[in-house]
Amino acid sequence: METQTINAAFYRGNKSFAVEQTKAAPPSENEVSIRIVYCGVCGTDMHVYHGNMDARVGHNRILGHEMSGVVEAIGSNVSGIEPGQKVVVRPLDHCGDCPACNAGHQHVCHKLKFLGLDTDGAMQEIWTVPSHTVHILPDDIRMDHAALIEPLAVACHDVRLSNLKQGEDVLVIGGGPIGVLVAMVAREAGGDVVISEVNESRIAIAQKLGFETINPAEVDLAAEINNRTGDKGAEIVFEVSGTQPGVDAMTACAATKARIVMVAIHAQKPNIDLFQFFWRELQLLGARVYEGEDYEKAISLISAGAIDADTVITDVSPLSEIQNAFESLDASPTALKSLIKVGDLS
Ligand SMILES: [Zn+2]
Ligand SMILES: [Zn+2]
């Protein structure tokens, strides 16, 4: 592969993107170059857009990590990956030599680099990544649906760590993109899932996906969960809202011995009712990103059609319209997952 001129969307600070031409260099010996087809817009990308992460990403960064694409070229040391294969990237680059890496927990490496934030990402026509981050997709997978594999892998990791058993009552607090994906994976694993959400359009999407919803702005969430479960509470609670009311609800709705999974990123320290952890022997589990097996699970769910991807994906815009896509996503109360169409399949 020779050096190619490609289009890329650079984050320039101040809620602005510039789509400009740049050079895609050939892959080095342990890298793979991927022709990007779709790239999803993550909540984290919206944080960048709002200027909250400028110190980390700067003003010359190509964002994007929720992608699908086709292998364009491979480095000389790469084996098991061929040009033309459909792929996704698990956007984590670990150091390989810290206590977490040495213990086999590369996804929480002390020096973890997140591709698309700490390095350039997938909102460009050709993205070059370390070969160890690449997962090969089945040939018949839909590439728009495949762009959901990264956030779906988050959900697979969360549900795996919860140790969910068939028939357990599950409460998902927060019905945004990750919340509904967690709910779908938990239901697929046999959980009896209810979603708590206040936004009317998100409630409508959750119901369209077949979930019962509770709006805690209208009813007492804990009383409602107790009603539904014969005063038992939910054995598993996923806190996906990132809010103080969500943190209050996670202990108030939990059954004796419940597992509470902390999915949301709480930038501020919330108040937590720690007494309940003692009194009812609750467990609080942290869950961050994903591991390889979570990616393989997400790939199998998408390719089996087990996830209603068409309902989750609410908008698709071309790369040239990325500025509009972020502006309307920022203003829209109805959007759930927006995709950027970076290139065509061919
Ligand atoms: Zn993401
Ligand atoms: Zn490490």
Side-chain angles (χ1 to χ4, degrees):
M1 172 182 152
E2 291 167 25
T3 301
Q4 297 189 46
T5 301
I6 57 165
N7 290 306
F10 292 89
Y11 168 68
R12 293 291 186 216
N14 260 324
K15 296 191 177 177
S16 71
F17 289 91
V19 178
E20 291 173 6
Q21 294 201 322
T22 186
K23 300 282 184 206
S28 69
E29 55 185 13
N30 292 313
E31 288 182 326
V32 173
S33 291
I34 300 165
R35 191 163 283 280
I36 303 299
V37 182
Y38 287 96
C39 183
V41 178
C42 178
T44 311
D45 299 323
M46 289 307 294
H47 276 296
V48 173
Y49 174 76
H50 283 129
N52 298 330
M53 297 173 72
D54 282 6
R56 178 169 173 189
V57 303
H59 287 176
N60 189 34
R61 177 65 78 221
I62 302 168
L63 302 178
H65 56 270
E66 303 184 359
M67 47 61 72
S68 61
V70 176
V71 175
E72 174 84 0
I74 60 171
S76 56
N77 274 350
V78 175
S79 60
I81 300 171
E82 303 290 341
Q85 285 177 324
K86 293 178 178 176
V87 292
V88 289
V89 168
R90 180 158 45 97
L92 307 179
D93 200 12
H94 58 281
C95 78
D97 189 29
C98 72
C101 283
N102 289 332
H105 311 307
Q106 288 88 350
H107 68 300
V108 287
C109 166
H110 296 193
K111 297 174 188 161
L112 191 69
K113 275 194 211 147
F114 196 95
L115 310 186
L117 290 174
D118 302 311
T119 68
D120 282 336
M123 290 182 182
Q124 56 178 326
E125 289 171 318
I126 293 177
W127 189 30
T128 299
V129 297
S131 63
H132 72 82
T133 66
V134 172
H135 286 254
I136 297 166
L137 300 174
D139 213 36
D140 58 355
I141 203 164
R142 270 181 56 176
M143 296 303 266
D144 53 347
H145 293 183
L148 290 183
I149 287 167
E150 191 270 354
L152 183 61
V154 171
C156 291
H157 188 65
D158 300 336
V159 172
R160 180 164 67 84
L161 295 192
S162 80
N163 198 20
L164 169 62
K165 294 179 200 68
Q166 181 80 31
E168 286 188 312
D169 285 301
V170 177
L171 171 63
V172 177
I173 302 172
I178 294 293
V180 298
L181 291 171
V182 166
M184 283 190 275
V185 175
R187 178 171 62 188
E188 194 267 345
D192 195 347
V193 182
V194 176
I195 297 176
S196 163
E197 174 59 51
V198 293
N199 175 308
E200 289 298 336
S201 58
R202 289 185 165 182
I203 290 171
I205 291 173
Q207 290 177 347
K208 190 174 173 209
L209 292 167
F211 291 104
E212 292 193 54
T213 59
I214 301 172
N215 184 343
E218 291 174 354
V219 297
D220 182 330
L221 178 57
E224 185 64 26
I225 292 293
N226 278 331
N227 273 342
R228 286 162 180 258
T229 58
D231 282 336
K232 171 176 62 66
E235 280 99 352
I236 300 186
V237 179
F238 294 97
E239 193 336 67
V240 198
S241 74
T243 66
Q244 181 64 51
V247 170
D248 292 336
M250 78 184 189
T251 47
C253 299
T256 300
K257 293 273 190 182
R259 289 90 79 202
I260 299 171
V261 183
M262 184 51 60
V263 179
I265 300 170
H266 283 267
Q268 261 92 45
K269 291 181 185 174
N271 284 314
I272 302 170
D273 187 355
L274 288 176
F275 174 76
Q276 299 302 330
F277 287 86
F278 160 76
W279 195 248
R280 288 185 286 141
E281 294 199 340
L282 305 181
Q283 296 181 46
L284 181 60
L285 304 163
R288 181 174 165 201
V289 291
Y290 26 63
E291 296 171 82
E293 66 183 286
D294 303 310
Y295 250 68
E296 290 303 320
K297 174 76 177 175
I299 290 168
S300 70
L301 289 172
I302 288 287
S303 51
I307 297 297
D308 183 352
D310 286 324
T311 298
V312 175
I313 298 167
T314 48
D315 305 271
V316 181
S317 311
L319 184 66
S320 57
E321 293 296 312
I322 187 171
Q323 182 70 36
N324 281 340
F326 272 73
E327 283 172 14
S328 48
L329 187 57
D330 199 25
S332 166
T334 57
L336 194 63
K337 179 55 74 183
S338 293
L339 303 186
I340 304 294
K341 190 164 191 296
V342 179
D344 288 309
L345 239 195
S346 62

